[in-house]
Amino acid sequence: MTKLPRQILRLIDTAVSAQKNAYCPYSRYPVGAAVLTDGGRIFAGTNVENASYGLSLCAERVAIFNAITRRQTGLKAICVVASLAKPCGACRQVMFEFSTKDTLLYLVSLNPNNRRQSITRTTVHKMLPAAFDPLASGLLAANPKNLLRNRQKRR
Ligand code: THU
């Protein structure tokens, strides 16, 4: 891959650090995530498991919900770090909600010594073809990004 922009390197570093904070005593599968928002801010997330397994949350959703809680309006890029970085289907759908066709997805797979192994760049839309689309379904009248902007105005 060609030289990555500084903001993207920061995004990757944030996800790598977040992976170290994973709470995953059941799966022992730490995942880190970070999102770069339209406003140029970066938010982190890690997987948080629970003794009642179904209550566990993936790193990607924690990072996205963190950004949304801070009133961010859309995602420019997302990074996922794991031994095999492949977002689950549920997370892909949540990513889709706040993405455009240009939202980049960096998948960073690390080897057991946590040395960077491979970085793949794709897009959220490519990773979820035929997504359940809030616009195509008629559930949202406007672009979801505009909806998030409206949310700011309603304050
Ligand atoms: N996990 C994530 O955090 N993100 C993914 O994309 C895939 C799976 C977590 C959920 C669970 O805590 C552990 O990895 C093993 O499935």
Side-chain angles (χ1 to χ4, degrees):
M1 193 181 295
T2 50
K3 202 165 160 274
L4 294 166
R6 226 160 40 116
Q7 233 179 2
I8 297 300
L9 290 174
R10 248 193 345 117
L11 180 75
I12 293 172
D13 282 348
T14 304
V16 169
S17 300
Q19 191 200 18
K20 299 188 177 89
N21 297 334
Y23 177 73
C24 54
Y26 308 104
S27 72
R28 297 174 197 270
Y29 192 81
V31 183
V35 297
L36 172 66
T37 68
D38 283 349
R41 292 179 63 188
I42 291 176
F43 295 85
T46 192
N47 51 334
V48 183
E49 297 183 346
N50 192 273
S52 177
Y53 290 8
L55 301 182
S56 302
L57 257 193
C58 293
E60 298 89 324
R61 272 176 282 167
V62 172
I64 292 169
F65 296 162
N66 193 4
I68 297 304
T69 303
R70 300 304 179 99
R71 303 190 76 83
Q72 300 301 292
T73 53
L75 304 179
K76 265 192 199 157
I78 301 170
C79 175
V80 184
V81 176
S83 66
L84 178 67
K86 281 275 166 69
C88 79
C91 287
R92 292 179 199 201
Q93 185 68 47
V94 172
M95 290 174 184
F96 190 92
E97 184 81 19
F98 303 112
S99 295
T100 68
K101 64 174 180 29
D102 298 321
T103 303
L104 296 171
L105 181 55
Y106 289 88
L107 304 173
V108 180
S109 295
L110 299 172
N111 71 18
N113 303 323
N114 269 6
R115 308 208 52 183
R116 212 163 281 171
Q117 196 178 41
S118 73
I119 302 181
T120 304
R121 191 184 75 177
T122 181
T123 67
V124 169
H125 280 217
K126 273 191 205 137
M127 289 291 279
L128 190 62
F132 181 60
D133 188 324
L135 300 176
S137 63
L139 284 171
L140 282 187
N143 181 314
K145 276 177 73 179
N146 294 338
L147 193 90
L148 285 165
R149 291 213 175 92
N150 291 342
R151 180 187 64 164
Q152 282 200 319
K153 280 190 216 123
R154 279 202 297 270
R155 232 177 137 193

